[in-house]
Amino acid sequence: MSTAYDSDLTAEQWELLEPLIPAAKPGGRPRTTDMLSVVNAIFYLVVTGCQWRQLPHDFHCWSTVYSYFRKWRDDGTWRQINEHLRMQVRVSEDRHPSPSAAICDAQSVKVGNPRCQSIGFDGGKLIKGRKRHVLVDTLGLILMVVVTAANISDQRGAKILFWKARRQGASLGRLVRIWADAGYQGEALMQWVMDRFRYILEVIKRSDNLAGFKVVPKRWIVERTFGWLLWSRRLNKDYEVLTRTAEALVYVAMIRLMVRRLAQEY
């Protein structure tokens, strides 16, 4: 690497992230690819919003970078790194590694690629594209993300989200309460969540008597998380053909945010 970009990892940040990068498979030719260069290239793409084929030439070949991204997407590496760093951040904030409360919400975004699969129209937001359903802890760190077509309702998306979150097992073993906005109200959903997961789904509504903007308790946390995601230009729109690629890039954006935060602690 001859040129440093603002998105590049510092030595302290790479020291935190390097142990979480999967090791080369045993046997065969030794790995010659520089993993720091690969991760920096992926962060560059997420931060700047460029295309894979437009990655600067001082990184590895774009196909090499993409092959690592795709492999780590398919084997769950990005989610696992996100989970590990999230627990580290929580411990650094004097919190238990596993949260007991969370907030869920959804964000509709336009698509920027005509080849995108799973596209729908969100009649409430008047957006044709996709919807990001997220579950975050009380620090705003992502526990789980699910990307669907925008016409999937918040409640239906929440069911998919909670099923995927349950598969994480022990990492969410303490989760008891989930806060949500009025889009998730209804006794049927609350009972469904309680019967299957033993979570208490609590809806926090805005007051109809207040004029102008007012911070809503707990709900502002997930809104701030959506703001963090939009710092990464690749996430301003959804350019990914597959929804699982869009989910992986959300984890990449959060990984970069958390590793930067953790490096400041040392």
Side-chain angles (χ1 to χ4, degrees):
M1 293 292 294
S2 59
T3 303
Y5 299 97
D6 290 341
S7 57
D8 286 354
L9 292 166
T10 64
E12 294 79 9
Q13 293 165 3
W14 179 238
E15 185 177 353
L16 291 167
L17 190 55
E18 184 178 15
L20 306 179
I21 300 298
K25 293 182 179 180
R29 295 178 58 188
R31 174 185 282 174
T32 58
T33 304
D34 179 9
M35 289 295 100
L36 175 57
S37 176
V38 169
V39 174
N40 278 339
I42 295 171
F43 283 170
Y44 179 92
L45 177 135
V46 172
V47 171
T48 64
C50 76
Q51 299 169 306
W52 288 104
R53 293 175 183 270
Q54 302 302 321
L55 283 171
H57 295 300
D58 37 3
F59 292 121
H60 284 295
C61 174
W62 75 269
S63 58
T64 299
V65 176
Y66 179 71
S67 68
Y68 277 101
F69 168 82
R70 182 179 58 192
K71 179 167 61 177
W72 296 341
R73 175 200 68 189
D74 294 342
D75 65 12
T77 294
W78 292 119
R79 183 187 60 77
Q80 293 166 13
I81 294 176
N82 174 81
E83 183 175 343
H84 185 92
L85 292 177
R86 185 190 69 244
M87 291 191 289
Q88 282 190 271
V89 172
R90 289 184 60 83
V91 170
S92 72
E93 297 285 342
D94 296 323
R95 306 291 185 95
H96 192 283
S98 178
S100 61
I103 309 99
C104 71
D105 204 352
Q107 178 190 49
S108 294
V109 293
K110 296 179 180 179
V111 294
N113 185 345
R115 298 174 56 233
C116 288
Q117 301 175 7
S118 301
I119 299 176
F121 183 76
D122 182 346
K125 302 290 180 63
L126 301 180
I127 290 177
K128 181 179 180 180
R130 286 178 173 164
K131 187 177 288 186
R132 297 171 184 148
H133 307 268
V134 301
L135 186 68
V136 305
D137 66 7
T138 52
L139 295 178
L141 307 176
I142 287 183
L143 303 169
M144 180 61 62
V145 58
V146 171
V147 176
T148 67
N151 61 327
I152 299 297
S153 69
D154 290 357
Q155 295 199 9
R156 183 179 171 190
K159 291 182 178 182
I160 303 172
L161 187 68
F162 297 158
W163 276 121
K164 289 193 70 173
R166 170 54 63 91
R167 297 194 193 107
Q168 289 194 35
S171 65
L172 295 179
R174 296 179 66 248
L175 187 59
V176 174
R177 185 179 299 271
I178 298 176
W179 290 293
D181 63 20
Y184 301 86
Q185 66 182 341
E187 184 176 343
L189 178 62
M190 293 181 181
Q191 191 64 49
W192 185 89
V193 172
M194 174 58 71
D195 291 344
R196 284 162 176 77
F197 308 109
R198 298 300 175 189
Y199 300 154
I200 299 172
L201 182 63
E202 181 180 341
V203 173
I204 302 176
K205 300 181 181 180
R206 287 176 53 90
S207 174
D208 296 332
N209 300 323
L210 296 176
F213 173 79
K214 180 176 175 58
V215 174
V216 181
K218 307 303 180 183
R219 281 172 47 187
W220 68 269
I221 296 174
V222 68
E223 297 296 341
R224 181 183 62 181
T225 301
F226 287 140
W228 288 342
L229 295 180
L230 295 182
W231 289 350
S232 299
R233 291 190 177 186
R234 184 80 179 198
L235 300 181
N236 283 191
K237 285 187 177 182
D238 194 329
Y239 296 95
E240 317 316 319
V241 175
L242 304 177
T243 55
R244 65 176 182 267
T245 301
E247 293 168 358
L249 289 176
V250 170
Y251 288 129
V252 171
M254 288 301 300
I255 288 168
R256 180 173 179 271
L257 183 149
M258 289 188 291
V259 80
R260 286 159 62 91
R261 180 182 298 186
L262 285 168
Q264 294 176 358
E265 302 288 336
Y266 294 90

